[in-house]
Amino acid sequence: MNQELLHTLKEIMPQITGYIYPNEIEVHWGLLIVVYPYITGIVAGAFILASLVKVFNVKEVQPLYRLSLLTALSYLLVAPLPLLSHLGHPERCFEMFLTPQPSSAMAMFGFVYAWYLMAVLLIEIWFVYRVDMIVWAEGGSGPMKWIHKVLSLFSRDRSESAVTFDHKALKTITIIGIPSAFLLHGYVGFIFGSVKANPWWSSVLMPIAFLFSAIVSGVALVILLYMVITPLTGGKINMKCVDKAVDFLFYAVIVDFTLEFVDFIHRIYQSEEEIKILSEMVMSKLFMSLVIIQVLLGMILPLGIIGATKIFKRRFTLNEDLRKMLYFISVLLIQFGIFTMRWNVVIGGQMFSKSFRGLTTYKMEVTGIEGLLYTLVLLCLPLVILTVLMKILPPWKEMREEDKSLEGGTPGSLPAPGA
Amino acid sequence: MPLSPFAGGGRMNGRRNFLRNTLAFLVSGTAIGGGILKLFPSSALAKEAPRKGKWYGFGVSVDKCIGCGRCMEACKVENDVPREPFFFRTWVERYIIRKDGEAVVKAINPNAEPMAADTSGDRSILRSFFVPKLCNQCADPPCAQVCPVGATFQTADGVVLVNEKTCVGCRYCIQACPYGARYLHPVTRTADKCTFCYHRISQDLLPACVEVCPTQARIFGDLNSSASPLSRFRRMNKIHVLKPALNTEPKAYYAGLDGEVR
């Protein structure tokens, strides 16, 4: 018998208000399941930012292209880990591939994931880096030379026709990739939105709200990474690019905010059976995380800040450092906002009883597989993977595009792979 | 003919169907259509009982329950449910409706002193009663629909079971159950729920909770047999089910159910 679990449940018991079904004391989907939609959201959002460059030809955000692809990949590699760690029997996870239940949305995870990883992201990155990898393999030495040789699958064709083909292939993959990215995160929203037993989740808006919050978190994270990595590697932040990306982020936050607001108004106006317990939950257990952090600090405040930089454009164009700082604060706040949104959806959905008569509580553990420390490791892991990826496949070529024209540098002056 | 898309489910059928679908996909691509269609419960087909064979259901006579808790005790003993007060296949709720409309609900604690059933002394109480709860063994079980590996499945006689050898412990079924009838077994780390004491009913015995109920508030039987106690119970009483709006087609039928009960 799991003594720790019993101990936790006993601690929760006095904090229960009203009546809950006796099996509802334990919150079954904890911190790990909060992390899962957060991470997949970043994947989808980062990819959509990358596709802005390729499909919609937004030239200004070109420096973010490779960085966003690598970000998407490093987060995608981590995405299944929280799910896997959460299973009661992780060793049976392959059953989902071997005997998937066709009626279950969750059974589709492996297939959606594999499709996105194999058919979209890896192929796109391969085509983006193919010629570069050939160049690096030819010019490099030691193990890095071999890594690039193997990664380029020993291709050596740098002819014009081959490069043209690469571009064509890239365009096609991105066009397939956008709906796939939508599918990946819309599907995560569907997993929650389709649970009819749970009125906090059961909403047709859930997949689409998840999708837009995904775009928001992905774009915000790539901007954040760009603003941190560029100075660290001795580059200069291209403000035109950041301006444009923040522009895009601004509109995405507005759409996301509108969607969630519509959902909120709709629930209150409809005022179904569960509305009393839901409003009680929002006003007591979720007040801090939903009203204060998610809505005020995570949405309205950054919207206000970015909005101010737009309204007083002239003043802010003069002071680039101030603008940089304001953007930095905004994307950081948005990041926290989206994470708490995941928290409020996942944990909030389990705090009220399906008898609509009472509220339970969630007690976060510090250690253990469902604990805070492990979650922090999971949240840092993509950044470690990203660092490794950036060593093997440096994204500087497009990140420093602006530098070259500014300083008249040559591609040779860019840091070499592995540097 | 399986009347539910999940009827006779489980591991083998899942694998067979998957292989069949994959083959069909390779040949004609029809598996996509078939797969997508299977995402939706074919409710129109699933609602009725099969014409032949057994189709089990449960009856609860709310007025007869005295809240003694013997059913909970019997269930825990019979099915190796953990003794701690957090895991239940069945439980009994106690409702007190006050004159001002306020409803006070509690679950009975089987280890505590029995609650006084007689509330006639308290003038502020309008009425009070006990409501036994258990898995509703839905004809359209949302838990079986969402299980990613088909570990939760419906038998041909309408009982929803969990195969603990294939359950991955993702707990999606626990989230999908509107009745709070499921929990994760702390020892096996798999989902667990009421089975109608399948090991007993398959030998023509009654479920443990029905057997021990001193007032016959719990009734079990075959809905396809008009002579069964359950069919008789359904004929003789006005019947309600819990949360009918969710269209899960519960097979736990309540007589004398109060509107306050959810």
Side-chain angles (χ1 to χ4, degrees), chain A residues 89 92 104 191 354 357, chain B residues 93 146 167 172 188 243 260:
Chain A
H89 282 275
R92 293 179 189 165
S104 165
I191 287 212
K354 285 170 187 158
R357 288 191 182 277
Chain B
E93 291 169 358
V146 300
C167 172
Y172 202 13
T188 62
K243 304 193 181 190
E260 286 287 348

Side-chain angles (χ1 to χ4, degrees), chain B residues 172-183:
Chain B
Y172 202 13
C173 55
I174 301 176
Q175 305 289 2
C177 174
Y179 307 101
R182 291 170 153 263
Y183 63 92

Side-chain angles (χ1 to χ4, degrees), chain A residues 13 19 21-23 28-29 88-89 92 95 98-99 101 103-104 107 191 195-197 273 350 354-355 357, chain B residues 38 86 88 93 144-148 164-165 167-170 172 174-177 180 188 243 246 260 262:
Chain A
M13 273 181 98
Y19 172 70
Y21 293 138
N23 286 329
H28 286 280
W29 284 356
H89 282 275
R92 293 179 189 165
E95 296 279 347
L98 301 176
T99 58
Q101 171 93 330
S103 67
S104 165
I191 287 212
V195 178
K196 65 178 169 187
E273 195 183 4
Q350 299 167 81
K354 285 170 187 158
S355 70
R357 288 191 182 277
Chain B
K38 279 206 164 180
F86 310 109
F88 293 93
E93 291 169 358
Q145 182 189 16
V146 300
C147 176
E164 67 170 47
K165 290 205 174 74
C167 172
V168 291
C170 70
Y172 202 13
I174 301 176
Q175 305 289 2
C177 174
T188 62
K243 304 193 181 190
L246 291 178
E260 286 287 348
R262 285 192 282 249

Side-chain angles (χ1 to χ4, degrees), chain A residues 158-386:
Chain A
R158 285 162 63 185
S159 65
E160 205 168 295
S161 62
V163 175
T164 323
F165 179 81
D166 285 355
H167 283 292
K168 262 192 199 157
L170 269 180
K171 194 140 203 171
T172 318
I173 296 161
T174 320
I175 289 170
I176 300 170
I178 295 174
S180 303
F182 276 39
L183 178 72
L184 181 72
H185 208 61
Y187 150 83
V188 175
F190 185 84
I191 287 212
F192 291 97
S194 61
V195 178
K196 65 178 169 187
N198 190 322
W200 185 246
W201 291 344
S202 168
S203 154
V204 279
L205 276 181
M206 194 62 98
I208 193 156
F210 260 53
L211 198 58
F212 272 91
S213 54
I215 296 177
V216 168
S217 69
V219 174
L221 187 80
V222 174
I223 297 174
L224 191 72
L225 288 173
Y226 176 71
M227 290 176 89
V228 172
I229 291 171
T230 315
L232 278 181
T233 52
K236 189 174 174 298
I237 294 175
N238 177 347
M239 278 315 275
K240 250 192 208 159
C241 159
V242 178
D243 277 336
K244 192 74 187 176
V246 169
D247 244 20
F248 184 61
L249 177 67
F250 182 70
Y251 298 125
V253 176
I254 289 181
V255 176
D256 184 31
F257 183 67
T258 313
L259 282 171
E260 280 172 38
F261 191 66
V262 167
D263 187 48
F264 175 73
I265 294 291
H266 183 244
R267 279 169 195 276
I268 293 185
Y269 193 84
Q270 233 183 5
S271 235
E272 287 190 35
E273 195 183 4
E274 69 277 357
I275 192 71
K276 274 187 198 154
I277 192 74
L278 291 189
S279 46
E280 197 183 319
M281 176 176 79
V282 170
M283 294 319 283
S284 60
K285 308 246 173 189
L286 290 186
F287 189 78
M288 192 64 194
S289 61
L290 183 82
V291 181
I292 305 290
I293 302 181
Q294 185 190 329
V295 179
L296 285 180
L297 293 178
M299 269 184 183
I300 294 179
L301 184 61
L303 270 183
I305 297 175
I306 301 173
T309 62
K310 283 178 169 303
I311 295 164
F312 308 107
K313 214 171 191 169
R314 210 175 283 160
R315 181 170 301 169
F316 281 106
T317 16
L318 295 177
N319 195 341
E320 220 168 60
D321 281 339
L322 178 64
R323 203 160 86 240
K324 236 182 260 177
M325 197 189 74
L326 289 178
Y327 284 164
F328 190 79
I329 294 171
S330 307
V331 289
L332 212 58
L333 283 174
I334 287 173
Q335 223 33 251
F336 277 115
I338 298 294
F339 187 83
T340 31
M341 182 253 184
R342 310 297 188 219
W343 170 280
N344 292 327
V345 170
V346 176
I347 305 291
Q350 299 167 81
M351 293 239 264
F352 69 94
S353 166
K354 285 170 187 158
S355 70
F356 304 146
R357 288 191 182 277
L359 299 170
T360 178
T361 202
Y362 175 61
K363 190 174 170 289
M364 191 164 64
E365 291 162 36
V366 177
T367 53
I369 204 92
E370 303 257 351
L372 181 66
L373 292 177
Y374 181 66
T375 307
L376 289 177
V377 169
L378 281 184
L379 286 175
C380 292
L381 194 58
L383 298 176
V384 176
I385 296 177
L386 182 64

